[in-house]
Amino acid sequence: MTAADVDHTIRTRIPARLDRLPWSRFHWRIVIGLGTVWILDGLEVTIVGSIAPRLTERGSGIAMTSADVGLAAALYVAGACLGALVFGQLTDRYGRKRLFMVTLGLYILATVATAFAFAPWYFFVCRFFTGMGIGGEYSAINSAIDELIPARNRGQVDLTINGSFWIGAAIGGLVSLLLLDPAIFARNVGWRLAFAAGALLGLAILVVRRHVPESPRWLFIHGHEEEAERIVSQIEDEVRAETGAELPEPDREIVVHQREAIPFREIAGVAARRYPTRALLGLALFIGQAFLYNAVTFDLGTILHNFFAIGSSSVPWFMLLFALSNFMGPLFLGRLFDTVGRIPMIAGTYLGSAAIVAVLALLLRGGHLHGWSFMALVLATFFLASAGASSAYLTVSEIFPMETRALAIALFYAVGTAIGGISGPLLFGQFIHSGNAREVATGFLIGAGAMALGGVAELLWGVPAEQRSLEAIATPLTAEEVDSGPAPIPEGERAGEDELRGRIADRRARDHAHRLRPGSGSGSRYFSPGMLGTAGTASRYDAASERSLDHEIELVTRVVVEDGGVDRAELSRRLRARGWGPGRFRRALRHAVREGRVREAAGGTLRAPRRPSPP
């Protein structure tokens, strides 16, 4: 690094200030304004999957074959890969907000153009540029979300947002039911209106997104610390006004060299030199989910139509069921990625879905499936696979330094999806075009193998990132140059370390006994009593997440003991537990009961523990 690269060195608490915020309307704005990109992608993919049989029929206005549909899907994915790489680099250089407005604009223009397709080649070009917009969105949006959501909620929020892809898919399925009905719209009109619906949704999101701020983490790294301070102060003022309570003091700070621009060669070399196993992990996760998802989602309608005699007007009903199953996976399993842990949940969802796909392939090869039994296995597969696929984006966003976050998402998405996402639709398209169910079954077996490799990679190289600050999981490049040593523990904290270590050790033992946290996914290395609070900066961040849980348990216990008895709803209201984030009040209450600090009486009332009778 030369002197020209450096503005000056700053000491900031912005990451800690963002991580200690209670859940508020601001965070919901982030979820709605940014997370909706996945709804758009789901809408796009499902509309194409639903209208695919119609595009191959006479009278559609565009003469396409089943192989052409597969090629269009592959070009959409290729565009997404290129868009991720191009816009990912620009996102790290010019900021999250500027790029997520540009990429959404590109998506809207390309989608409108698709509605006017008159020949396969024109359709291919439009799908390519639509994919570019969506791919660029992934890197800009996931970076901004992870940098604005508190660490304790990041896993659940990310998986739910990524799972919202399937809300778009459900919308696409419902819209297609109406638009593909030949009694309502002509065969050469309805599918065009489906693309116009996507553009309208994009315009609505564009309006909401204008009110989302730039990432303060990006700002202070790139020499805009005053703007970063202003944005964080505004957020804190809004949260104070909403909750009516003062915020706790941030418990850590970092020292960084600000740099207006970081060379691409430096960013690109980080993964290979410093984090080689994390790089292999990211590739394995993305290749596995990209192959299976793009192959099945783009071609599911054609498989149902060609092999199970499902009419083109009925395909959207099956796509709707497919979408609902996929959304339920992240919705119900998402919180477990923050509690059970990243490693067991990611590995479990990948390996579990691989096993079901293998069974599906063997039954299909033997001719033992009909339309509904085939769909039942598909739904079971993707209930698990959708949570796993969402966790791939979460993983690569978490495990690399802040300065490389958008590019890391783009790089692994592009490379993994180029290998799995392009080959999957092309391969399945050819298998389907052959008319041989045994060949299609072979495609499913390949997908099962790809998912299984992702699960094994997670077991070998997974990172226990649950409830940890982003700066703890991967130290920022600019921070390491200045402050690579361990942060000292304040005297006031040292006094309670032994007691805290004991409580955490007991809690971990109880969790293991109740099988709530199987495996090593919660990061056993930083729960070692000898390491807690004494093993450098990373363990300080990790201990902070346990202190947060311990503090919430203390608050629950104090109110119950002081009142003698209170029901759950009243306890939540008095503690303002909605601000803790999704699921955290239930978790703290569960631990308080398990540790014997409160007890549940008849009728669900919470009471202080019984005191032992005197001898």
Side-chain angles (χ1 to χ4, degrees), residues 233-272:
S233 295
Q234 287 178 346
I235 297 170
E236 290 172 333
D237 290 343
E238 179 183 337
V239 171
R240 287 191 191 97
E242 179 183 338
T243 63
E246 278 301 313
L247 298 172
E249 284 296 313
D251 60 354
R252 61 188 183 273
E253 62 182 18
I254 61 173
V255 179
V256 298
H257 268 150
Q258 294 179 315
R259 301 170 69 174
E260 185 61 32
I262 301 173
F264 177 78
R265 63 182 180 275
E266 180 178 338
I267 293 175
V270 167

Side-chain angles (χ1 to χ4, degrees), residues 2-14:
T2 66
D5 295 323
V6 182
D7 291 331
H8 60 281
T9 298
I10 66 166
R11 186 178 296 270
T12 180
R13 292 189 174 189
I14 283 177

Side-chain angles (χ1 to χ4, degrees), residues 42-203:
L43 184 70
E44 281 294 312
V45 172
T46 308
I47 282 178
V48 174
S50 297
I51 70 172
R54 177 60 49 84
L55 296 177
T56 62
E57 294 176 354
R58 290 181 178 272
S60 66
I62 182 170
M64 296 181 68
T65 66
S66 298
D68 287 335
V69 172
L71 177 58
L75 288 172
Y76 173 85
V77 176
C81 294
L82 181 61
L85 286 174
V86 172
F87 293 117
Q89 183 181 356
L90 296 176
T91 296
D92 277 333
R93 180 176 291 269
Y94 296 111
R96 312 327 189 191
K97 182 168 184 174
R98 187 177 300 176
L99 268 296
F100 65 56
M101 298 297 283
V102 170
T103 52
L104 182 57
L106 175 60
Y107 161 81
I108 293 170
L109 291 174
T111 302
V112 170
T114 308
F116 295 94
F118 57 88
W121 70 264
Y122 180 92
F123 189 84
F124 297 155
V125 171
C126 292
R127 295 305 295 163
F128 178 81
F129 282 102
T130 304
M132 278 196 72
I134 289 294
E137 285 271 285
Y138 284 163
S139 52
I141 295 303
N142 280 283
S143 302
I145 289 172
D146 280 352
E147 291 169 6
L148 290 167
I149 297 296
R152 64 183 177 277
N153 307 122
R154 190 173 59 244
Q156 181 178 359
V157 170
D158 264 34
L159 261 73
T160 303
I161 286 176
N162 290 338
S164 69
F165 175 100
W166 299 104
I167 296 177
I171 294 172
L174 289 172
V175 168
S176 298
L177 279 171
L178 174 67
L179 298 180
L180 295 181
D181 188 342
I184 302 175
F185 295 101
R187 292 181 181 274
N188 65 340
V189 172
W191 64 266
R192 300 180 188 275
L193 296 178
F195 287 108
L200 289 175
L201 180 58
L203 285 172

